Amino acid sequence: MRRKIVAANWKMNGSLELVQKLVPAVRDGVAALDNGLEVVIMPPSIYLGQVRELLSGSSIAVGVQNVAQWQSGAYTGEIAAGMAADAGCQYALVGHSERRQLFDETDELVAGKVARILESGLQAMVCVGETLEERESGDAETVVCRQLEGALKGLSAGDASKVIVAYEPVWAIGTGKTATAEDAQAMHEAIRRKLVELGLPGNAMSVLYGGSVKPDNAAALFAKPDIDGGLIGGASLKAEDFIAICQAGIS
Ligand code: 13P
């Protein structure tokens, strides 16, 4: 079933001081909403315990921004999906363009991580998106479809309910340039078509948009029929902005 979701990806931002201010403010702001929205906070992993504690009794879920492709072992510095589940996470982000670009993550690696995430009982939030160069050369849809195929290879239709796709055009991340609601809608439609082609229930899966979502553009994006919510970077670090985005009606 398609769910409305707004997820906060703090990336490598924040401090304990920010956690202690931001999380209670978001918790209280979201508690006042009654729009059937699922809200997820994905802080840097080191703060998961504190974030969980501050969210106790709240409906807001927590997630990790990355997991290893291995279950356990001699992988210094890595975090296993099972550990994220132990720490109370319900979601794991995977395939973010920053991981693909800065840490050379391939579609194959992303597929391995998706498998570990699902084995651990978490839900995978799988990011896809084209660069500006790829969009300008008319390859955006091809690139996104290839990423979907690579990341979701071997996924059963049954497991699809535990997978959320996040379309994040790389050129819109942290740049203040958002895809127009029409362009985002067109890509979301293409994503659903591709999911169906892969044997997955594409019309029943949640597909989120990410890339410079702000209080002033969220409503137009979320009003589109194939956009089920957002993955928010910069604006998730300001309680007022993040709550305003959560308030923007999702169709
Ligand atoms: P911004 O909202 O800062 O553009 O970041 C989007 C993003 O990458 C979320 O994962």
Side-chain angles (χ1 to χ4, degrees):
M1 200 188 73
R2 275 168 70 174
R3 292 170 291 144
K4 305 174 187 183
I5 301 170
V6 171
N9 174 13
W10 288 10
K11 310 192 180 186
M12 200 179 75
N13 291 300
S15 59
L16 187 55
E17 197 185 342
L18 183 92
V19 166
Q20 285 163 345
K21 277 194 193 139
L22 183 56
V23 176
V26 169
R27 178 194 63 205
D28 297 346
V30 166
L33 302 178
D34 185 20
N35 56 3
L37 184 69
E38 280 182 47
V39 178
V40 185
I41 296 181
M42 296 182 287
S45 302
I46 197 98
Y47 299 125
L48 276 169
Q50 282 102 344
V51 171
R52 279 264 300 153
E53 211 174 298
L54 290 164
L55 288 177
S56 85
S58 149
S59 63
I60 300 178
V62 293
V64 270
Q65 298 173 14
N66 178 41
V67 292
Q69 65 270 40
W70 305 285
Q71 268 172 341
S72 66
Y75 303 106
T76 301
E78 290 290 289
I79 292 174
M83 296 170 184
D86 280 348
C89 289
Q90 286 162 265
Y91 292 87
L93 196 62
V94 64
H96 194 281
S97 62
E98 287 151 17
R99 302 286 322 169
R100 293 178 189 262
Q101 290 190 328
L102 303 170
F103 301 93
D104 296 329
E105 293 200 357
T106 59
D107 290 332
E108 199 184 356
L109 189 77
V110 174
K113 292 184 178 201
V114 170
R116 298 295 87 70
I117 291 167
L118 298 180
E119 278 163 19
S120 304
L122 299 175
Q123 299 183 59
M125 217 173 261
V126 181
C127 303
V128 293
E130 81 286 356
T131 62
L132 184 58
E133 202 184 350
E134 289 161 342
R135 172 154 287 261
E136 285 176 345
S137 58
D139 294 331
E141 206 176 303
T142 311
V143 168
V144 167
C145 289
R146 192 194 62 223
Q147 290 172 337
L148 283 173
E149 190 158 356
L152 304 182
K153 205 177 351 200
L155 186 76
S156 69
D159 275 343
S161 62
K162 298 181 200 111
V163 172
I164 291 139
V165 175
Y167 169 56
E168 296 206 309
V170 179
W171 48 270
I173 296 178
T175 57
K177 288 184 201 157
T178 324
T180 63
E182 290 67 33
D183 284 347
Q185 163 62 24
M187 186 61 87
H188 281 230
E189 250 184 88
I191 287 171
R192 291 192 196 283
R193 270 198 309 274
K194 182 66 187 178
L195 292 169
V196 170
E197 195 190 305
L198 293 171
L200 301 170
N203 293 315
M205 293 168 70
S206 296
V207 184
L208 314 183
Y209 171 81
S212 296
V213 178
K214 306 286 177 207
D216 62 359
N217 60 24
L221 287 160
F222 296 168
K224 293 294 176 191
D226 286 303
I227 301 182
D228 299 313
L231 180 54
I232 321 300
S236 72
L237 296 164
K238 291 184 205 129
E240 217 179 86
D241 287 0
F242 187 66
I243 293 162
I245 291 169
C246 292
Q247 274 168 337
I250 298 174
S251 65

